[in-house]
Amino acid sequence: MSIIICFNNKDPKPWQETLQTKLPDTTIEIYPNVTDSEAITFALCWKPEQNSLAQFPNVKVVQSVGASVEHIIQSQDLASDCVVTRIVDNRLSEDMFEFILTGILSHLKRFAEYQKAQKEKQWQQKPYKTIQNTSIGILGLGKIGTHVATKLAQVGFTVKAWSKSEKTLVNVSCFYGNDGLTDVLQNTDILINILPLTSATENILNLKNLSQLNKNGYLINVGRGEHLVENDLLRLLNNQHLSGALLDVFRTEPLPENHPFWEHKNITITPHIAAITNIETASGIVVTNYKNLLNEKELINVVSIEKGY
Ligand code: GLV
């Protein structure tokens, strides 16, 4: 029984050290340096290489080191007795809320424009928007989406939210299914995407949907790059239907140097940092699941491979 850490675009060392402290008698190795492939029963993953887990025939649990699992489900051909789990952590939800609130307020108060004006030593007052007069639409009501929607409503925004199945939240107007999507898009100033990536949600941020937002609408994408049809966003920014976008996730990460988003004056780019898994809080979840596997107890935060989240 041992653990393999398979990370791409993320440093595995701090995870190995932290887990080793909590599980001193367990062998914890970093892919691809493995002494005994057959001994691996638990894989901790972030964007594992295509089918890389196939070389560990006894893997029973594939634990995502983040909230999302599409990077595992889409890249691995998992055995039918293999379970996929993810991180569900209040710290992650709160970090996401703080990131989104920062993005919304700096948009309403036009901070990016003032930063540019400062570089040019220009003193020019512009009208600003208020929380009370701003309506927000949220796509995705999983653990993180629910937290963000609830807290934005508490701050005073008008909040609508959309999910696949029916949900009810205090002070948030909830819609679901294909019909409900239009209700969330229309009469909305700021759209926030926190959906999981599945075949049903891929390309959901497209011309047809984004053009239903209010004139001068704003997009915040913290879901996945594959949710966004990039040329549709550029078109809606360039014809001034949308006033801007804050993008934290991209089809290719890191965003290639020659990508047009870098240069666009109305796009703000952050390097996938909206909510980073906190090693202190999240390693406890990983250890619990590893011990549950050892003791044949029920695993926590299990996802449906069929649904994709
Ligand atoms: C971040 O993108 C995550 O999936 O946790």
Side-chain angles (χ1 to χ4, degrees):
M1 288 270 199
S2 61
I3 299 179
I4 182 84
I5 302 179
C6 305
F7 287 1
N8 264 304
N9 255 341
K10 192 177 188 73
D11 184 6
K13 282 266 160 49
W15 277 90
Q16 186 188 35
E17 280 160 24
T18 305
L19 291 175
Q20 200 66 80
T21 322
K22 295 184 185 212
L23 299 166
D25 300 327
T26 304
T27 304
I28 303 173
E29 292 173 307
I30 294 175
Y31 182 86
N33 301 320
V34 183
T35 40
D36 180 1
S37 306
E38 301 209 346
I40 305 284
T41 52
F42 190 100
L44 179 65
C45 295
W46 182 250
K47 301 189 176 175
E49 282 164 24
Q50 193 70 26
N51 256 330
S52 49
L53 300 180
Q55 51 197 287
F56 309 116
N58 297 317
V59 163
K60 294 288 173 281
V61 177
V62 183
Q63 167 80 55
S64 168
V65 81
S68 63
V69 290
E70 90 292 333
H71 55 98
I72 294 167
I73 293 178
Q74 292 176 5
S75 69
Q76 309 300 315
D77 202 2
L78 298 172
S80 56
D81 63 344
C82 190
V83 173
V84 177
T85 55
R86 70 187 188 111
I87 299 296
V88 176
D89 185 358
N90 291 340
R91 184 67 260 159
L92 210 54
S93 302
E94 185 59 17
D95 286 357
M96 187 62 93
F97 164 67
E98 289 179 12
F99 176 89
I100 288 171
L101 184 64
T102 307
I104 295 172
L105 290 178
S106 56
H107 165 63
L108 295 184
K109 306 305 173 190
R110 308 177 78 150
F111 273 26
E113 289 166 74
Y114 288 122
Q115 248 159 28
K116 186 168 171 285
Q118 182 177 346
K119 281 203 190 103
E120 292 157 11
K121 300 189 178 153
Q122 275 187 15
W123 181 275
Q124 195 182 21
Q125 296 181 333
K126 297 169 194 280
Y128 53 80
K129 298 197 193 110
T130 63
I131 291 176
Q132 197 192 8
N133 293 320
T134 301
S135 71
I136 296 204
I138 294 180
L139 303 182
L141 278 182
K143 285 278 186 324
I144 297 178
T146 298
H147 182 78
V148 171
T150 306
K151 294 225 37 181
L152 289 178
Q154 282 167 4
V155 169
F157 291 101
T158 303
V159 184
K160 295 178 284 178
W162 181 74
S163 51
K164 192 171 172 194
S165 56
E166 194 170 357
K167 301 253 164 86
T168 316
L169 290 183
V170 178
N171 292 332
V172 176
S173 308
C174 294
F175 300 90
Y176 70 103
N178 288 343
D179 299 342
L181 184 56
T182 298
D183 291 299
V184 171
L185 297 171
Q186 290 184 354
N187 302 314
T188 288
D189 299 309
I190 300 179
L191 184 71
I192 301 165
N193 175 48
I194 321 182
L195 284 165
L197 179 65
T198 66
S199 54
T201 64
E202 189 170 357
N203 296 330
I204 194 167
L205 303 173
N206 56 35
L207 191 66
K208 177 171 165 271
N209 288 336
L210 293 177
S211 55
Q212 293 182 59
L213 298 177
N214 282 346
K215 173 102 179 100
N216 290 323
Y218 191 78
L219 172 69
I220 298 181
N221 188 17
V222 290
R224 280 289 176 266
E226 290 84 349
H227 286 128
L228 177 64
V229 182
E230 297 184 342
N231 282 332
D232 289 0
L233 173 66
L234 289 172
R235 188 164 153 188
L236 289 164
L237 290 171
N238 295 340
N239 71 13
Q240 271 100 48
H241 183 73
L242 295 184
S243 60
L246 165 58
L247 307 176
D248 186 56
V249 287
F250 303 90
R251 283 178 186 262
T252 307
E253 294 181 5
L255 187 64
E257 233 175 84
N258 59 355
H259 197 287
F261 284 174
W262 284 116
E263 300 285 333
H264 202 289
K265 68 178 181 12
N266 296 331
I267 293 180
T268 301
I269 289 169
T270 51
H272 203 144
I273 44 75
I276 302 278
T277 303
N278 180 295
I279 199 164
E280 288 315 316
T281 48
S283 56
I285 297 168
V286 175
V287 169
T288 300
N289 262 346
Y290 180 67
K291 287 187 174 163
N292 286 358
L293 171 69
L294 282 185
N295 300 322
E296 294 179 15
K297 283 179 42 195
E298 208 178 320
L299 297 159
I300 56 171
N301 308 328
V302 175
V303 305
S304 156
I305 295 181
E306 201 189 336
K307 281 196 202 159
Y309 57 92

